[in-house]
Each structure stands twice: as structure tokens, then as C-alpha cells.
């Protein structure tokens, strides 16, 4: 007996339909309210996006959650997938009863119940303060030298920041006021100066839950340093100042972990800078959604 490919295709479609029917046998209504109502082929933010639900429309979804975040939804005959719970609002008998009770609540409580659903963490934008511990390195005074420096600066991360569109980026501007200790140790005189350190990465994000994710990025970096050292004249007690300026371009590799607490994000990263020298750094950031 020979089975035609058309018969096999019909059988597979029937199995998919039966599977979808079983999942939605215990269904509930939901309204699409989020800004990114993507339908994924599996309950995973890294899965392919197969459709986008129209905002304001009602759909049947499963009562069961998958991966603690997703509902199964039937988009149209022959197409079904998984949508994040942050992109929909449940419409059920229980929901209607809650809405009736809310009519009798105080105005402040009614206002709180109408809050706009939040964006998923991985699509939100944040900016704030960054503190970075850097194993700074340079070739100076005929030798390779290193020093641990603490830089402070401004950081902005997320989609629609430096570039428009659904592309996540991470940019930092860091400053250090002073000179590495090895200048003073060698010359036995005080040294002064400052360092401007900037970097920028294109990021890839792996959501782990609704409140935290792992990310990594790659991009360019720029450093400009200005130091002034002093050398004492051996024939008299006078000192002579020697200014030293250095400008360097390079690349950066970054691996980080981010958490969301209300409208705040706490982030920590490990960085590997590759320029005239190679050195590591790690940081901690306190950022706020905007």
C-alpha cells in the first residue's frame, strides 16, 4: 500500500489541530494590550516569531501557562503559538466580578487597577550611574605597567536608545580623575591628570524570567588620557612637569546579568578591552527606566 504525500500532510495537520484543540479545550478569553504582542513558535523568547496579534482584539487562550510566562493561543485556523502573559489582559467571569467590585472601591484603588501593562524587561530602556573597576594597563616609562582604577560615569541601555528599532544597545561614558599610582612610585613626585573611557556594544539578550536576563555584546571603545608627571632636577631643588597625552581606539567584549526591581534595573558586567593593551574590568550599575 502506497501512501501519498498529500495524505501524510493531511494527517499531520489533523494531529496539530487535535493538539491545539486539547490545549484550548479549557480556554479563556484575553484582550491584546501590550506593545510587543508577538506569537512564538514555542514557549521561549528565543523561538521564531510566527505572528503579531492585533492590539485591542480578543483571542481564545489556554488556561494553562507554559514556562510560567506563556499562554497557548490560536491565531487563526492552521496557525497557533505562544504569547507572553505581559502582552495580554485576561477577560473571564472572575475578571468581570473583580471589575464589579472595583466599582465600589476608592478612587485611588480604581486608578491603580487601570495601570498600563509594562513592557517586557528585555525591551525596556534604562539609564543611570555606572561604577567600574578597571585593571588599567599601558606602556610607559619603558615598561608595561598596570593599576586598578575605579571609574564612574553614565550608562544607557535598551532598545530605541542610540538606534531606532528593535535593536538593543549598551553605551557608557566613564571618567577617572587622577593618575595611576605607578607614576608617583617611579618619580617620587605627585602626578595628576584624568582618563576618558567610552564604549558601545550591540547586545544579544537571553531572557531567564520576567525580571532577569543574561546578555553579551561586542563593539568599539575609545580612550583618551592626559597625565602630568614631575621630575626633580638633580642639580637643584626645582622640578619640571612633563605632560603625557594618549588616545586609543579598540574593541570590547561584554558579558552581563541584569535584574529588574520595579522601575529600577541592577546590572553587573565583566568586560574585556582590546586596544594597544588588553585588560579586564567589572562594573555595577543602578539604572532607571525611561
Amino acid at each position: 500500500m502506497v501512501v501519498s504525500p498529500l495524505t501524510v500532510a493531511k494527517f499531520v495537520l489533523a494531529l496539530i489541530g487535535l493538539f491545539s484543540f486539547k490545549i484550548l479545550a479549557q480556554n479563556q478569553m484575553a484582550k491584546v494590550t501590550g506593545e510587543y504582542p508577538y506569537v512564538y513558535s514555542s514557549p521561549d523568547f528565543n523561538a521564531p516569531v510566527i505572528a503579531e496579534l492585533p492590539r485591542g482584539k480578543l483571542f481564545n487562550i489556554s488556561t494553562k501557562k507554559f514556562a510560567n510566562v506563556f499562554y497557548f493561543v490560536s491565531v487563526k485556523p492552521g496557525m497557533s503559538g505562544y504569547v507572553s502573559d505581559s502582552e495580554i489582559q485576561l477577560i473571564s467571569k472572575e475578571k468581570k466580578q473583580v471589575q464589579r467590585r472595583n466599582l465600589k472601591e476608592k478612587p485611588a484603588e480604581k486608578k491603580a487597577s487601570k495601570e498600563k501593562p509594562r513592557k517586557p524587561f528585555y525591551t525596556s530602556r534604562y539609564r543611570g550611574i555606572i561604577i567600574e573597576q578597571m585593571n588599567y594597563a599601558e606602556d610607559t616609562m619603558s615598561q608595561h605597567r598596570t593599576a586598578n582604577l575605579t571609574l564612574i560615569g553614565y550608562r544607557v541601555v535598551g532598545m530605541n536608545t542610540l538606534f531606532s528599532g528593535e535593536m538593543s544597545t549598551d553605551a557608557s561614558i566613564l571618567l577617572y580623575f587622577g593618575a595611576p599610582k605607578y607614576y608617583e612610585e617611579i618619580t617620587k613626585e605627585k602626578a595628576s591628570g584624568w582618563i576618558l573611557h567610552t564604549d558601545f556594544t550591540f547586545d544579544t539578550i537571553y531572557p531567564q524570567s520576567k525580571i532577569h536576563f543574561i546578555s553579551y555584546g561586542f563593539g568599539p571603545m575609545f580612550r583618551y588620557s592626559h597625565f602630568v608627571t614631575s621630575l626633580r632636577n638633580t642639580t637643584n631643588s626645582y622640578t619640571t612637569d612633563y605632560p603625557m597625552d594618549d588616545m586609543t581606539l579598540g574593541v570590547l567584549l561584554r558579558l552581563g546579568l541584569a535584574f529588574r526591581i520595579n522601575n529600577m534595573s541592577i546590572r553587573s558586567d565583566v568586560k574585556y578591552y582590546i586596544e594597544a593593551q588588553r585588560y579586564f574590568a567589572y562594573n555595577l550599575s543602578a539604572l532607571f527606566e525611561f
Side-chain angles (χ1 to χ4, degrees):
M1 179 178 179
V2 179
V3 180
S4 67
L6 181 60
T7 302
V8 174
K10 289 181 178 179
F11 179 72
V12 171
L13 290 175
L15 287 179
I16 294 175
L18 179 61
F19 175 74
S20 302
F21 175 77
K22 287 184 177 180
I23 292 180
L24 291 173
Q26 299 294 330
N27 63 70
Q28 57 187 336
M29 295 295 295
K31 183 178 180 181
V32 181
T33 57
E35 294 189 41
Y36 304 93
Y38 299 139
V39 179
Y40 300 89
S41 60
S42 61
D44 187 343
F45 285 114
N46 296 316
V49 176
I50 60 175
E52 182 176 354
L53 300 179
R55 295 167 184 79
K57 298 295 184 179
L58 297 178
F59 287 88
N60 277 323
I61 65 169
S62 62
T63 56
K64 177 184 175 182
K65 271 191 178 183
F66 297 83
N68 296 322
V69 178
F70 295 90
Y71 286 103
F72 185 83
V73 59
S74 178
V75 182
K76 61 182 179 180
M79 179 182 288
S80 57
Y82 299 83
V83 62
S84 170
D85 57 4
S86 63
E87 306 299 329
I88 58 176
Q89 182 180 5
L90 299 181
I91 305 295
S92 62
K93 292 181 180 180
E94 292 80 5
K95 184 70 176 180
K96 291 179 180 179
Q97 292 174 357
V98 171
Q99 290 176 345
R100 292 193 189 100
R101 288 197 299 267
N102 286 344
L103 294 176
K104 301 179 181 179
E105 292 178 353
K106 298 179 181 179
E109 296 174 336
K110 289 170 64 179
K111 183 178 180 180
S113 65
K114 295 180 181 180
E115 291 182 355
K116 184 180 178 181
R118 299 186 63 186
K119 292 182 181 180
F121 184 27
Y122 67 96
T123 65
S124 301
R125 303 182 302 172
Y126 290 85
R127 60 189 175 189
I129 297 174
I130 175 173
I131 298 176
E132 184 160 306
Q133 185 72 26
M134 182 181 298
N135 185 27
Y136 183 78
E138 64 174 333
D139 284 331
T140 184
M141 298 183 182
S142 304
Q143 189 176 339
H144 177 75
R145 305 181 189 278
T146 62
N148 290 320
L149 305 180
T150 301
L151 293 80
I152 188 169
Y154 174 79
R155 183 179 186 182
V156 57
V157 300
M159 296 183 180
N160 291 303
T161 52
L162 300 183
F163 295 92
S164 61
E166 297 179 8
M167 178 186 298
S168 183
T169 58
D170 187 328
S172 298
I173 301 176
L174 297 161
L175 287 171
Y176 176 79
F177 294 99
K181 289 185 177 180
Y182 47 74
Y183 284 108
E184 185 175 341
E185 292 172 352
I186 296 170
T187 63
K188 306 304 180 182
E189 299 290 338
K190 290 185 178 180
S192 61
W194 49 268
I195 301 172
L196 171 65
H197 207 290
T198 66
D199 57 68
F200 166 80
T201 61
F202 294 98
D203 294 343
T204 300
I205 298 175
Y206 293 96
Q208 303 299 302
S209 72
K210 294 175 65 175
I211 63 169
H212 84 287
F213 63 74
I214 297 171
S215 67
Y216 69 88
F218 175 81
M221 57 81 59
F222 170 79
R223 174 178 61 84
Y224 186 89
S225 62
H226 171 75
F227 302 130
V228 178
T229 61
S230 299
L231 293 177
R232 185 173 296 278
N233 195 317
T234 57
T235 60
N236 53 50
S237 60
Y238 296 105
T239 59
T240 303
D241 292 339
Y242 292 91
M244 295 180 293
D245 293 270
D246 185 33
M247 181 172 61
T248 306
L249 291 173
V251 295
L252 162 68
L253 300 174
R254 184 192 62 79
L255 176 65
L257 179 64
F259 289 88
R260 177 164 71 179
I261 306 173
N262 296 326
N263 292 326
M264 185 178 180
S265 176
I266 302 297
R267 303 191 179 212
S268 182
D269 307 88
V270 175
K271 294 180 176 180
Y272 183 53
Y273 293 103
I274 305 173
E275 38 130 317
Q277 304 298 325
R278 299 186 180 188
Y279 47 93
F280 283 96
Y282 60 91
N283 61 55
L284 182 65
S285 301
L287 311 175
F288 297 89
E289 190 172 359
F290 71 101

